[in-house]
Amino acid sequence: MNQKPLTHLRFCTGLTKMRERNVGKCLLFLLCLNVVSSIVIAAAPPTCPADIDSDCGSDSGEWEGEFFPGISKIKYEGPSSKNPLSFKWYNAEEEILGKKMKDWMRFSVAFWHTFRGTGADPFGAPTKLWPWEDGTNSLAMAKRR
């Protein structure tokens, strides 16, 4: 009798068991990574309490801090500028067809993506923590936003 098919079967069974162990280890690693990243995010101290009675800004409920401390107003410096924090093509004072560029193209941001988004995607945990966010869905938190 030929023993080759039986040996081949044992080899394939061994590979399958090894794959199952590796997949299990990989899933365990991903689970641990997710737990650790969640703990790190949850441990970040909020900069402003969520309760309405907190001393966080003015009486109007609006936040009066600076969003990006140490960064001055972004200015137009032209296409040859090496400054990464400058406008290369947008010159607010340049006139085009009788109107200044600032009137044609008003600077704006998408509220959700810019000030509410956490940087999370289908492949990972959030990557941004905003100083005004405290993780609640309270009225005081909405006013700060």
Side-chain angles (χ1 to χ4, degrees), residues 52-115:
I52 292 177
D53 299 328
S54 69
D55 185 23
C56 185
S58 66
D59 293 335
S60 69
E62 292 184 26
W63 189 64
E64 294 182 352
E66 188 176 339
F67 286 111
F68 304 103
I71 298 176
S72 60
K73 184 176 179 180
I74 308 296
K75 296 184 167 107
Y76 171 77
E77 294 181 10
S80 61
S81 174
K82 301 291 183 202
N83 181 359
L85 291 177
S86 70
F87 289 115
K88 310 291 190 277
W89 305 103
Y90 176 76
N91 181 358
E93 300 303 317
E94 182 180 343
E95 276 197 27
I96 299 173
L97 298 174
K99 282 173 99 174
K100 290 186 177 185
M101 195 179 278
K102 67 182 178 183
D103 297 325
W104 285 111
M105 300 173 65
R106 293 183 357 204
F107 188 77
S108 64
V109 295
F111 176 77
W112 177 263
H113 297 290
T114 307
F115 298 112

Side-chain angles (χ1 to χ4, degrees), residues 1 6 8 10 14 53 60 81 84 112 118 134:
M1 247 185 150
L6 188 57
H8 180 70
R10 285 182 189 150
D53 299 328
S60 69
S81 174
W112 177 263
T118 61
D134 62 9

Side-chain angles (χ1 to χ4, degrees), residues 30 33-34 37 119-127:
L30 290 174
L33 187 63
N34 192 10
S37 63
D121 63 19
F123 307 105
T127 59

Side-chain angles (χ1 to χ4, degrees), residues 16 23-24 27 38 44 48 57 60-61 75 83 92 110 145:
T16 303
V23 167
L27 289 175
S38 297
C48 203
S60 69
K75 296 184 167 107
N83 181 359
R145 288 181 192 135

